Amino acid sequence: MNAMLKTVTFAFAAVMASMASPSLTKADEKPPVKLEAAAPKQSPDAVVAKVNGVAITRGEIDRAVKIFLAQNRSPQQPTPEQVEQLEEGALEQMIAAEVLYQAGVKQAPKDVEKLADEKVAQGKARFPSQEEFEKALNANSLTEKELKELTRKDIIINNLVEKEVASRITVPDSEAEKFYKENIDKFKRPESIKASHILVGVDSKASAEDKKKAREKADGLLKKIKEGGDFAVLAKENSTCPSSAQGGDLGYFGKGQMVPPFEKAAFSLKPGEVSDVVETQFGYHIIKLTEKKEAETAKFSDEKDKIKEYLKNQKMQQAVAEYITELKGKAKVERMEAAAK
């Protein structure tokens, strides 16, 4: 249900998702997106629309678009036309969110204030300090008080949708089984394996001497393994791959997911076997095959719950859209065209 609500509570969900992700590394950070407007914009306080007299401002729309762009991290600056489309989409979704919120206030949980405080506190706890938390708030043009208000509204909207829409949607087993039979190809699983590796990393452009040293180290490690050395321990101590923290465990993967030399060597092994030293552009690998799964078609009994959840979400999308249309029909929605441009 949360994935569906993100399309409805555009501003609320976007802000909460943005506040819940403080762990970006420096390598992930990008300069702020500069919005090129098609025409000069009015003041952030300018009213763009009203829902039963409640204003939606230019500043709220701009903030929603800014957060959306930051989350999606497009490598290119959006054109004025794209910005205009995003603004229109944000406005439509904020109008939808407002009609839902107004309808939901009457059914709001009695402890909504407590729930909002707890949710904000959980988000704040993910930051290493109050300073970092406030920095994230400032980046989203928010105060902590405004964040709590957005969170409170989000809780009320979720509660309404759960009571008035989600609780009424059912997916019988027969419908799920029909979907399974009509989409059987979606449930075919190719051959996959689970493997661990030790990587002695060396750049493909490294000198012949550096490559020789790396190869000698890999050969030495392979010798230790053949003499009974613990593969996981040796991986933790020597591998330059991040998987070293898990003893070299790469989990399950299928064909086409690894570079060709690595894939060829890994798929040729039997469970428990260890490869010779394999060279790729990343360096020298020693691969240990842990498990192998043959190609198969997943059984309906194993996939039933996932199918039902998928079909319920599909019905939810439609039902929420219809519910919003119904609420809009009963509400007074005004759009101030001059302020929206």
Side-chain angles (χ1 to χ4, degrees):
M1 188 175 79
N2 288 339
M4 179 280 304
L5 284 178
K6 283 186 181 179
T7 65
V8 177
T9 57
F10 178 90
F12 305 157
V15 169
M16 292 311 297
S18 144
M19 294 301 299
S21 307
S23 58
L24 292 176
T25 64
K26 291 293 181 184
D28 293 323
E29 293 178 355
K30 291 188 178 181
V33 175
K34 294 181 180 178
L35 301 183
E36 271 190 62
K41 295 291 176 63
Q42 292 192 353
S43 160
D45 296 326
V47 177
V48 177
K50 288 183 180 180
V51 179
N52 293 324
V54 176
I56 296 172
T57 66
R58 162 58 53 196
E60 291 175 301
I61 298 297
D62 289 345
R63 179 173 65 196
V65 172
K66 177 183 174 184
I67 293 171
F68 175 82
L69 290 171
Q71 282 185 307
N72 287 271
R73 292 194 194 131
S74 172
Q76 297 179 332
Q77 293 290 328
T79 64
E81 291 75 20
Q82 289 171 329
V83 172
E84 191 172 344
Q85 289 174 357
L86 285 170
E87 289 172 346
E88 178 60 27
L91 177 56
E92 282 298 322
Q93 293 191 23
M94 293 183 81
I95 290 172
E98 185 60 33
V99 297
L100 285 168
Y101 169 68
Q102 291 182 18
V105 167
K106 298 173 185 176
Q107 302 182 44
K110 292 181 180 179
D111 59 346
V112 64
E113 299 299 334
K114 179 184 175 184
L115 292 172
D117 284 336
E118 289 175 351
K119 195 168 182 180
V120 170
Q122 288 169 4
K124 186 189 290 190
R126 299 184 187 186
F127 291 83
S129 66
Q130 177 69 21
E131 183 182 3
E132 289 297 316
F133 175 65
E134 290 176 359
K135 193 181 294 183
L137 284 172
N138 291 334
N140 288 309
S141 304
L142 279 172
T143 64
E144 187 168 344
K145 182 179 179 181
E146 288 171 329
L147 176 63
K148 182 189 171 182
E149 179 59 16
L150 290 176
T151 305
R152 191 177 73 80
K153 288 184 175 182
D154 194 48
I155 290 169
I156 289 172
I157 291 172
N158 274 278
N159 181 65
L160 174 73
V161 172
E162 179 61 39
K163 286 183 176 179
E164 298 297 324
V165 182
S167 63
R168 301 177 184 180
I169 293 176
T170 59
V171 179
D173 288 356
S174 58
E175 188 176 339
E177 188 168 11
K178 182 173 181 288
F179 179 87
Y180 173 81
K181 289 177 179 178
E182 291 177 352
N183 297 273
I184 194 68
D185 285 349
K186 296 181 184 295
F187 302 98
K188 290 181 178 179
R189 305 285 183 262
E191 179 187 14
S192 64
I193 58 175
K194 184 179 183 183
S196 298
H197 81 141
I198 298 172
L199 170 63
V200 180
V202 62
D203 194 286
S204 58
K205 297 178 182 178
S207 66
E209 182 62 26
D210 287 341
K211 287 185 177 181
K212 181 182 177 183
K213 288 179 181 178
R215 177 63 196 240
E216 287 174 350
K217 181 175 180 179
D219 287 338
L221 290 170
L222 180 59
K223 183 180 179 183
K224 288 182 179 180
I225 292 168
K226 288 182 176 180
E227 291 173 350
D230 188 300
F231 192 98
V233 171
L234 289 170
K236 286 181 179 180
E237 294 175 348
N238 298 277
S239 181
T240 57
C241 176
S243 65
S244 61
Q246 291 80 47
D249 186 8
L250 295 169
Y252 280 97
F253 55 90
K255 290 185 176 179
Q257 292 181 254
M258 301 293 183
V259 292
F262 188 99
E263 177 185 293
K264 183 178 179 181
F267 274 87
S268 69
L269 297 171
K270 295 178 182 178
E273 284 186 341
V274 175
S275 72
D276 290 329
V277 174
V278 178
E279 182 178 0
T280 71
Q281 64 262 45
F282 304 109
Y284 299 97
H285 309 255
I286 303 168
I287 308 165
K288 181 178 181 179
L289 187 69
T290 310
E291 294 179 42
K292 180 176 285 190
K293 288 184 179 179
E294 301 298 332
E296 61 178 359
T297 299
K299 297 177 182 178
F300 171 67
S301 58
D302 294 333
E303 300 295 319
K304 182 176 72 172
D305 290 344
K306 294 177 186 176
I307 294 172
K308 292 180 78 169
E309 182 66 23
Y310 170 77
L311 293 176
K312 183 174 182 177
N313 283 335
Q314 294 293 103
K315 290 184 177 185
M316 281 281 290
Q317 293 276 4
Q318 171 96 27
V320 169
E322 291 172 357
Y323 185 51
I324 290 171
T325 299
E326 178 188 337
L327 292 176
K328 280 184 177 180
K330 299 175 183 177
K332 182 181 179 181
V333 179
E334 305 169 82
R335 295 174 62 116
M336 288 62 181
E337 297 299 334
K341 294 181 180 179

